[in-house]
Amino acid sequence: MTLLLGLLKPLQVFVDGILAVGRWISIIAIALMVLAILIQVFFRYVLGNALPWPDEAARFMMLWMTGLMAPLAYRRGGFVAIDMVLLAFPKTIGAVLSLLLLLIASIVLVVAVQIGWAEITGFGGRFATDSLWYPSLDGTWSKVPRSWMMSSLVVGSVLLMIVNVELVLRSVVSLLGGEDRLRPIPGEAVSGAE
């Protein structure tokens, strides 16, 4: 138990910090996404001349916002879940089943990282966006590579894996009777509270 709690404490501190940074980046991303959409609406419907870049910029921001916010929602229990089955069993059996589901989620997340990495480094990652440009170090403008968009899948999946490891450790500690020694997750949704 002491070993598990010793592993869990620094992991929780790390996850707290990285998810806080991700949350603020996501807030900026959603603000930029809304701004890009408003610019597009103004140019398309007021001036009658749609710009080529706002749709792609909004999509870029949405992908990164999702990749950075999904781990936070997962950690807090914010994903849609059908917990009737878990609640129907005795507490220990429900906890074991929950742990099993977390372990299955680990496998899915490993596959997601592999798919994301293949998208970044494979054939699709060699292409550039149609209308997004950035200033290069040599003073010229270059098209934004699609791999920059797809990196959000890898970053999000890796963060989800880290959160999943934390949740697995918390689940094992709870199964071993140390639930009262666990630090609450900030902003955690309470199961069955509705």
Side-chain angles (χ1 to χ4, degrees):
M1 179 74 70
T2 305
L3 175 65
L4 290 173
L5 291 169
L7 290 170
L8 190 57
K9 186 174 181 177
L11 181 61
Q12 285 178 317
V13 170
F14 173 75
V15 171
D16 285 347
I18 201 79
L19 292 184
V21 170
R23 181 175 182 265
W24 282 107
I25 293 171
S26 295
I27 289 169
I28 293 167
I30 197 166
L32 291 173
M33 182 179 78
V34 168
L35 179 64
I37 291 168
L38 290 174
I39 289 170
Q40 183 68 321
V41 167
F42 177 77
F43 274 83
R44 177 174 286 157
Y45 296 108
V46 175
L47 300 180
N49 187 13
L51 297 173
W53 60 268
D55 294 337
E56 208 161 27
R59 192 175 320 119
F60 186 91
M61 295 300 150
M62 180 185 65
L63 288 169
W64 275 99
M65 178 199 58
T66 303
L68 294 171
M69 287 303 289
L72 182 65
Y74 183 50
R75 186 183 195 212
R76 292 180 174 182
F79 282 3
V80 173
I82 302 172
D83 56 1
M84 292 172 21
V85 175
L86 296 177
L87 296 173
F89 289 111
K91 187 175 180 179
T92 304
I93 294 173
V96 169
L97 183 57
S98 179
L99 178 59
L100 179 64
L101 292 172
L102 287 170
L103 294 173
I104 291 170
S106 298
I107 296 167
V108 171
L109 291 169
V110 167
V111 172
V113 170
Q114 291 171 345
I115 291 170
W117 188 252
E119 284 292 322
I120 292 170
T121 61
F123 183 69
R126 296 187 185 132
F127 295 105
T129 58
D130 294 328
S131 58
L132 293 180
W133 296 78
Y134 71 99
S136 300
L137 294 176
D138 61 3
T140 62
W141 287 82
S142 301
K143 285 188 173 185
V144 172
R146 288 206 185 274
S147 60
W148 289 9
M149 284 187 183
M150 296 311 299
S151 296
S152 65
L153 174 62
V154 174
V155 169
S157 297
V158 167
L159 290 174
L160 281 164
M161 281 177 34
I162 293 169
V163 168
N164 201 63
V165 167
E166 177 191 11
L167 295 176
V168 166
L169 288 173
R170 291 178 66 86
S171 186
V172 170
V173 167
S174 291
L175 274 170
L176 296 175
E179 189 171 4
D180 57 329
R181 297 174 66 186
L182 292 174
R183 180 176 66 95
I185 293 175
E188 182 177 23
V190 179
S191 180
E194 294 183 35

